[in-house]
Amino acid sequence: MTESSYTVAGMTCGHCATFVTEEIERIAGVTAVTVDVDSGRVSVTSDEGLDTEDVRAAVEEAGYELTHANRSARDDRTPAATERDHRGDPHAGPGERLP
């Protein structure tokens, strides 16, 4: 799962949030959208990373402007799976066992 956050300008009410949410939910792979009208922050959870231009197009279709994108991957894998991925990696984090 990947979680990304965006700043959207022009939203003033719950209806605005609904329009933005509906358009972003149409993007393939999106699993959840949360909108905070007061801050303009939109958080999107998706199966994989999203193309910012797809999000921008969805926001513009809703009638608003995407002003900032901050993508932040969240790793939902188990610690054991993460550990396997870092075997032999000289940059493995603390507590990760290396062979």
Side-chain angles (χ1 to χ4, degrees), residues 50-82:
L50 298 175
D51 184 335
T52 301
E53 291 309 311
D54 289 343
V55 177
R56 183 181 313 281
V59 168
E60 288 176 358
E61 182 66 27
Y64 305 95
E65 180 185 1
L66 180 76
T67 60
H68 181 75
N70 181 27
R71 292 173 38 160
S72 170
R74 183 179 75 207
D75 194 344
D76 287 338
R77 296 175 297 167
T78 64
T82 302

Side-chain angles (χ1 to χ4, degrees), residues 9-24:
M11 298 185 298
T12 59
C13 66
H15 293 290
C16 300
T18 299
F19 295 142
V20 169
T21 298
E22 288 174 350
E23 290 300 328
I24 293 175

Side-chain angles (χ1 to χ4, degrees):
M1 291 281 178
T2 299
E3 189 170 305
S4 305
S5 64
Y6 305 90
T7 303
V8 175
M11 298 185 298
T12 59
C13 66
H15 293 290
C16 300
T18 299
F19 295 142
V20 169
T21 298
E22 288 174 350
E23 290 300 328
I24 293 175
E25 284 177 337
R26 294 175 194 241
I27 300 171
V30 170
T31 57
V33 179
T34 304
V35 177
D36 181 334
V37 173
D38 294 332
S39 68
R41 180 184 162 109
V42 177
S43 298
V44 181
T45 304
S46 57
D47 294 330
E48 295 182 8
L50 298 175
D51 184 335
T52 301
E53 291 309 311
D54 289 343
V55 177
R56 183 181 313 281
V59 168
E60 288 176 358
E61 182 66 27
Y64 305 95
E65 180 185 1
L66 180 76
T67 60
H68 181 75
N70 181 27
R71 292 173 38 160
S72 170
R74 183 179 75 207
D75 194 344
D76 287 338
R77 296 175 297 167
T78 64
T82 302
E83 198 171 289
R84 281 193 304 274
D85 290 348
H86 290 291
R87 286 188 183 161
D89 180 353
H91 304 290
E96 294 179 332
R97 288 180 282 144
L98 300 176

